[in-house]
Amino acid sequence: MKSDVVKKGIEKAPHRALFKAMGYTDEEIERPLIGVVNSKNEIVPGHIHLDKIAEAVKAGIRMAGGTPIEFGAIGVCDGIAMGHIGMKYSLATRELIADSCEAMGLAHSFDGMVFIPNCDKIVPGMLMAAARINVPSIVVSGGPMLSLRHNGKNLDLNSVFEAVGAYKAGKMTEEEVCEYEDTACPGCGSCSGMFTANSMNCLTEVLGLGLPGNGTIPAVYAERIRLAKKAGMKIMELVQKDIKPSDILTPKAFENALAIDMALGCSTNSVLHLPAIANELGIEINLEIINEISSKVPNLCKLAPAGHHHVQDLYAAGGVQAVMKELSKKNLLHLDLITATGSTVGENIEKAAIKDSEVIRSIDNPYSPTGGIAVLKGNLAPDGAVVKRSAVAPEMLVHKGPARVFDSEDAAIDAIYNGKINKGDVVIIRYEGPKGGPGMREMLSPTSAIAGMGLDKHVALITDGRFSGATRGASIGHVSPEAMAGGPVAIVKDGDIISIDIPGGKLDMEIPDSEIQERLKAWKAPEPKITKGYLGRYSKLVSSANKGAVLENK
């Protein structure tokens, strides 16, 4: 066993003494040691209950003959961090989570590991760590929050953000906003739409490191506890068979994940995280690959924010496995890949079926013949930009309008809230990329304000930052190269005509190439917004979004 280096032989008597200081018996020490990484905390609704998930995992490990050893991981609540300096830290914590899990996992020589995340950056951070540590591993999330009906409408966190915009536009009273505030998030779990957390938990299931149901079983269902126990038992089988993340996370597994990403209409943040996870294994996932898969995989689901269904509805309709089964009918998935169940993808989905064709459409009746995410390129984004195509109003799929340029999210929010944005405008928010932000803030406040004011069918937003998975509308993010790296988005001026063609994959400024070159020659990088601490170090090492915002060795 890998853990023999910390427990076997007379030379390890001091090590065993330290185990015994914590109450471990000889019998427990002799068994396989399984690290249980628990991101439970009291600041993230998706994580407040993870102590119960961890206890279930540990029970499963003990039932199957292992010794669970729990330790913690950090997690930022994107919703609470939204719209202020806190959001600069959110994406950056992905690397901290991966690094700290790596440090704990390799320093203590666990035989296997179970990762318990739930929300946005924590899931990909732990997946990156699993790939890096490469001992038998499994991921079990805390599950999605429920969405409850209020006045005939199912609410979620995004409903509250949009209510603020509606209030600013005089369309809601303060009392009505407070009703949303009290109702939209009814309990524990990751926010209830196909936002980033649920996107990544569903894709973990597709990649093969999560058991079927990982992405969709609601947080408060007893089935979630049973899943956690099964994960605890299953890790012992993976240890026995020595099935490691590198055996599961193959290039074909990432192609499967991208295919389901397109079918579900996942968060655009998946386009940041899947390349970053693949990068840990030396696998390249670039925007060209993503665009190729998007062009041939139909969009079968419109979950919030793209539609009115939520993850609980996807669960009831057959879950991720039913979506996989549907894509397999036209040979859009690789079925022979091994997964954390110990069985192949094909074996896992053999009995899956759609139970509600309103939530999961058949492959012969898709919402669109192409995927939920589109990659755009042009003279404004030479290295690419990303939009959640499935959440864009039809009238905004092709749009031209004058640029309204802001050098920070805060300046843009101020203009939006004060009624300074007009129908037809294209709002440009720059210097918010991984390096320029630093940290590539999510921008749910400006996009939800636009939607709440009823402008989402008239106004586009473009940024070198990123958007929340809860964002809807013509919100185009990840513009690369980012402004801080001297990308063309840095030289856009107020009034420049911006041309958006989402079906055609184009994003351009309607100004001559010679003018673009002159402006680029005259451009000078502004002073970094933050130079100290973790973000100061992060900004010096991080790549642009088209590479997954990974830290590069420079």
Side-chain angles (χ1 to χ4, degrees):
M1 289 188 289
K2 183 177 175 62
S3 62
D4 285 350
V5 299
V6 299
K7 67 186 187 184
K8 193 170 185 179
I10 190 66
E11 299 84 2
K12 297 303 186 290
H15 302 65
R16 293 192 296 272
L18 292 169
F19 276 101
K20 290 178 178 179
M22 295 178 280
Y24 291 100
T25 65
D26 284 326
E27 292 80 3
E28 287 176 301
I29 296 169
E30 287 168 6
R31 293 174 177 177
L33 304 183
I34 309 298
V36 178
V37 193
N38 184 6
S39 55
K40 194 266 183 189
N41 61 40
E42 297 181 349
I43 193 65
V44 187
H47 292 227
I48 191 73
H49 65 304
L50 294 187
D51 52 341
K52 296 179 176 63
I53 301 295
E55 287 305 316
V57 166
K58 291 190 286 185
I61 292 169
R62 292 190 184 103
M63 283 191 284
T67 297
I69 300 176
E70 182 180 349
F71 62 91
I74 65 168
V76 166
C77 178
D78 279 21
I80 294 173
M82 194 72 66
H84 57 93
I85 191 173
M87 183 44 73
K88 293 178 183 288
Y89 282 90
S90 174
L91 179 61
T93 63
R94 185 186 72 183
E95 319 309 312
L96 286 176
I97 291 161
D99 289 351
S100 60
C101 289
E102 172 200 350
M104 290 293 286
L106 293 180
H108 300 107
S109 296
F110 295 117
D111 296 299
M113 296 187 71
V114 181
F115 295 87
I116 308 174
N118 209 26
C119 291
D120 297 47
K121 263 30 96 262
I122 300 90
V123 183
M126 288 191 178
L127 285 167
M128 290 165 69
R132 199 182 295 173
I133 299 166
N134 203 32
V135 297
S137 299
I138 196 167
V139 177
V140 57
S141 77
M145 187 184 292
L146 292 176
S147 170
L148 302 183
R149 289 187 76 75
H150 176 75
N151 293 336
K153 179 183 178 183
N154 276 74
L155 301 184
D156 52 52
L157 177 65
N158 195 32
S159 307
V160 192
F161 275 98
E162 291 190 4
V164 174
Y167 171 78
K168 296 282 186 180
K171 296 181 177 182
M172 286 183 77
T173 65
E174 186 174 351
E175 290 74 20
E176 288 171 327
V177 175
C178 286
E179 285 183 18
Y180 274 42
E181 175 186 325
D182 290 341
T183 311
C185 298
C188 65
S190 47
C191 293
S192 54
M194 190 51 73
F195 311 149
T196 307
N198 291 325
S199 295
M200 292 309 302
N201 283 325
C202 287
L203 296 182
T204 298
E205 195 175 321
V206 183
L207 283 168
L209 274 191
L211 298 179
N214 179 71
T216 59
I217 300 169
V220 295
Y221 285 16
E223 188 180 353
R224 175 63 55 179
I225 298 297
R226 297 198 299 272
L227 184 78
K229 289 178 180 176
K230 288 177 183 175
M233 291 186 280
K234 189 59 69 172
I235 189 61
M236 297 305 298
E237 181 183 326
L238 297 178
V239 169
Q240 181 185 3
K241 294 179 178 178
D242 196 30
I243 298 175
K244 299 185 289 294
S246 59
D247 300 316
I248 295 172
L249 299 176
T250 63
K252 288 183 178 180
F254 284 98
E255 290 176 10
N256 281 355
L258 286 168
I260 297 299
D261 191 340
M262 301 308 161
L264 287 174
C266 289
S267 164
T268 51
N269 284 313
S270 63
V271 177
L272 276 180
H273 299 318
L274 289 174
I277 299 161
N279 181 65
E280 296 292 341
L281 296 140
I283 299 168
E284 183 182 5
I285 300 292
N286 56 41
L287 294 184
E288 284 71 27
I289 294 170
I290 292 166
N291 224 17
E292 180 187 348
I293 292 174
S294 180
S295 70
K296 63 184 181 183
V297 176
N299 178 219
L300 304 183
C301 302
K302 278 195 179 291
L303 301 159
H308 63 276
H309 296 130
H310 289 78
V311 178
Q312 67 201 39
D313 302 310
L314 177 62
Y315 163 78
V320 173
Q321 303 294 306
V323 179
M324 295 175 74
K325 183 66 173 285
E326 204 61 22
L327 290 193
S328 73
K329 292 177 180 179
K330 293 203 174 175
N331 299 316
L332 292 170
L333 287 184
H334 304 288
L335 301 181
D336 58 342
L337 310 182
I338 194 68
T339 71
T341 65
S343 302
T344 65
V345 171
E347 290 167 336
N348 290 343
I349 67 173
E350 188 176 353
K351 295 180 181 178
I354 296 174
K355 300 175 183 178
D356 186 340
S357 58
E358 289 293 312
V359 179
I360 305 171
R361 287 198 174 184
S362 80
I363 198 158
D364 295 317
N365 181 37
Y367 283 103
S368 72
T370 52
I373 290 176
V375 175
L376 313 181
K377 286 192 174 184
N379 63 18
L380 185 56
D383 291 340
V386 179
V387 63
K388 190 168 185 172
R389 171 169 43 198
S390 58
V392 179
E395 48 267 65
M396 288 299 291
L397 288 170
V398 177
H399 179 76
K400 283 186 184 181
R404 296 293 307 282
V405 182
F406 302 93
D407 286 346
S408 71
E409 178 190 9
D410 312 83
I413 291 173
D414 183 68
I416 294 165
Y417 281 162
N418 287 293
K420 296 179 181 178
I421 302 302
N422 303 310
K423 288 184 177 181
D425 284 349
V426 177
V427 176
I428 306 281
I429 306 175
R430 63 191 180 195
Y431 296 108
E432 289 288 3
K435 188 179 295 293
M440 204 181 184
R441 287 194 283 185
E442 281 189 345
M443 299 187 192
L444 186 52
S445 294
T447 58
S448 55
I450 289 285
M453 291 175 171
L455 293 172
D456 57 303
K457 295 181 180 179
H458 307 282
V459 172
L461 291 97
I462 298 173
T463 182
D464 55 2
R466 63 197 176 94
F467 293 112
S468 166
T471 292
R472 62 186 174 96
S475 301
I476 300 166
H478 306 196
V479 170
S480 299
E482 62 173 291
M484 197 66 175
V489 68
I491 52 92
V492 182
K493 295 180 180 179
D494 273 341
D496 287 344
I497 299 300
I498 305 299
S499 174
I500 300 166
D501 180 359
I502 294 173
K506 291 288 190 179
L507 183 61
D508 290 297
M509 301 178 277
E510 292 197 346
I511 57 177
D513 289 344
S514 57
E515 173 72 10
I516 292 174
Q517 294 308 315
E518 284 181 22
R519 291 189 194 180
L520 286 172
K521 285 178 184 177
W523 174 81
K524 291 183 179 179
E527 288 296 313
K529 294 174 185 174
I530 296 176
T531 58
K532 296 180 180 179
Y534 175 58
L535 285 181
R537 297 194 302 275
Y538 178 87
S539 67
K540 292 176 182 176
L541 296 173
V542 70
S543 73
S544 280
N546 63 303
K547 296 181 180 179
V550 296
L551 298 187
E552 298 181 309
N553 295 320
K554 296 181 179 178

